[in-house]
Amino acid sequence: MWGAAKPSGPQEDTRRASAARQAERVERTVGSHTTLIGAPGAGPRGTALQVEGASHVIVRLDGLRLSRRLSRSRR
């Protein structure tokens, strides 16, 4: 069956390294007890805020778009 084996080899190693470098540049982790405040039109551009496992996070950025993965009950 096609796709049963996990990808491996130099091309896969390069892909993983590239994905890790990209994540370093575009993902920002937000810790617990954090407040992010921005002026109108301000906000993260070309990046993702990771708020997993954090509590008491306040985000007040005009025009911030939430990920579809974030449920309404958690906003």
Side-chain angles (χ1 to χ4, degrees), residues 6-70:
K6 295 213 182 264
S8 63
Q11 187 173 7
E12 180 61 15
D13 295 342
T14 302
R15 187 201 63 77
R16 283 190 188 127
S18 176
R21 282 192 306 273
Q22 180 181 8
E24 288 174 1
R25 289 191 302 269
V26 301
E27 293 182 5
R28 298 292 176 240
T29 303
V30 177
S32 294
H33 305 285
T34 302
T35 301
L36 301 172
I37 301 173
R45 300 261 192 274
T47 188
L49 298 175
Q50 302 295 324
V51 191
E52 291 187 59
S55 61
H56 305 287
V57 176
I58 299 170
V59 179
R60 291 188 177 187
L61 300 173
D62 183 37
L64 182 68
R65 292 182 311 189
L66 297 176
S67 168
R68 292 180 186 179
R69 292 185 299 172
L70 186 62

